[in-house]
Amino acid sequence: GAVVSQHPSWVICKSGTSVKIECRSLDFQATTMFWYRQFPKQSLMLMATSNEGSKATYEQGVEKDKFLINHASLTLSTLTVTSAHPEDSSFYICSARTRSISNQPQHFGDGTRLSIL
Amino acid sequence: GIQVEQSPPDLILQEGANSTLRCNFSDSVNNLQWFHQNPWGQLINLFYIPSGTKQNGRLSATTVATERYSLLYISSSQTTDSGVYFCAVGNQAGTALIFGKGTTLSVSS
């Protein structure tokens, strides 16, 4: 089946550091990837939609200059949290959908737990 | 945007009991998925079920798209079934999934 790999799975870093998270589709091409954020005991909230070769679309309230998204190929999207602060600590998870097939399930990575000290 | 409501928010069961989780959505959908999030945060895809009925072992799901709801059935529950169950829907091709708030299931032995 379709596999989405997310790396790293866990990051602890100091306030002010920038952190890059990778999301890869291992065995299929993904024209679209999605980035979600989940705070403790809450649901997943969409942050942005990442389209290969074009600028990401951000949800209302998500700072595009803080959460930089790059989708340079059909198998890789990256999320960079710039100048991270403790309030950015969260669980970040990506998903991808198969290229050019409309009604197909989305496949999720295992998530990245980010802790900013 | 589309609204997704899950019930109940919390469910406590004894091992061996059966349960039904419900997901209501406010608009027509072309994607509906049920997930189990384990204690490590991994989202395990249980069913892709925008309509109809599917079964996988002790789990089954039914979506009645015309009435805008889906049900997840868990039979003979086990302690490993504990965790949060999410329903997520999409109503346009290629768009992101919108998640409900989840049902937290606790199964005790």
Side-chain angles (χ1 to χ4, degrees):
Chain A
V3 177
V4 175
S5 173
Q6 194 170 334
H7 179 80
S9 56
W10 198 8
V11 180
I12 301 175
C13 58
K14 294 181 179 180
S15 184
T17 306
S18 292
V19 178
K20 180 184 284 188
I21 302 169
E22 294 186 348
C23 180
R24 294 181 185 272
S25 56
L26 296 186
D27 51 1
F28 66 99
Q29 292 183 327
T31 50
T32 306
M33 291 184 175
F34 305 97
W35 288 95
Y36 295 82
R37 179 168 53 183
Q38 184 181 31
F39 291 109
K41 299 194 181 300
Q42 294 187 23
S43 186
L44 281 75
M45 298 299 294
L46 179 68
M47 297 176 66
T49 299
S50 168
N51 293 297
E52 185 264 338
S54 64
K55 290 184 178 181
T57 302
Y58 292 83
E59 295 300 298
Q60 191 172 11
V62 178
E63 299 175 56
K64 62 180 181 180
D65 294 331
K66 181 166 191 61
F67 299 99
L68 301 180
I69 292 174
N70 183 280
H71 192 159
S73 77
L74 286 171
T75 59
L76 174 64
S77 175
T78 60
L79 168 67
T80 301
V81 185
T82 62
S83 187
H85 291 285
E87 59 266 29
D88 299 322
S89 298
S90 188
F91 187 64
Y92 294 87
I93 190 165
C94 69
S95 72
R97 55 178 295 274
T98 309
R99 177 181 190 179
S100 74
I101 299 176
S102 59
N103 294 335
Q104 289 290 314
Q106 289 189 19
H107 307 283
F108 284 76
D110 286 343
T112 297
R113 201 163 299 281
L114 176 62
S115 296
I116 308 299
L117 304 177
Chain B
I2 192 168
Q3 304 295 314
V4 184
E5 292 185 0
Q6 291 186 243
S7 61
D10 300 284
L11 189 56
I12 300 174
L13 300 175
Q14 285 286 327
E15 202 168 25
N18 302 328
S19 62
T20 300
L21 282 60
R22 187 177 180 100
C23 173
N24 292 334
F25 42 94
S26 61
D27 203 348
S28 59
V29 299
N30 61 7
N31 186 353
L32 189 147
Q33 293 178 244
W34 281 98
F35 298 92
H36 176 210
Q37 188 169 39
N38 65 22
W40 298 271
Q42 294 172 315
L43 278 178
I44 311 300
N45 184 48
L46 300 176
F47 293 104
Y48 167 71
I49 188 166
S51 64
T53 297
K54 291 185 178 180
Q55 181 161 4
N56 184 2
R58 295 182 296 105
L59 302 181
S60 64
T62 296
T63 297
V64 183
T66 54
E67 297 186 21
R68 299 181 184 171
Y69 73 88
S70 182
L71 302 174
L72 176 68
Y73 304 96
I74 304 174
S75 64
S76 303
S77 58
Q78 301 176 357
T79 56
T80 52
D81 294 332
S82 297
V84 183
Y85 289 80
F86 287 107
C87 167
V89 305
N91 63 353
Q92 294 181 38
T95 59
L97 292 176
I98 305 302
F99 282 75
K101 292 186 177 181
T103 292
T104 301
L105 175 64
S106 299
V107 182
S108 58
S109 58

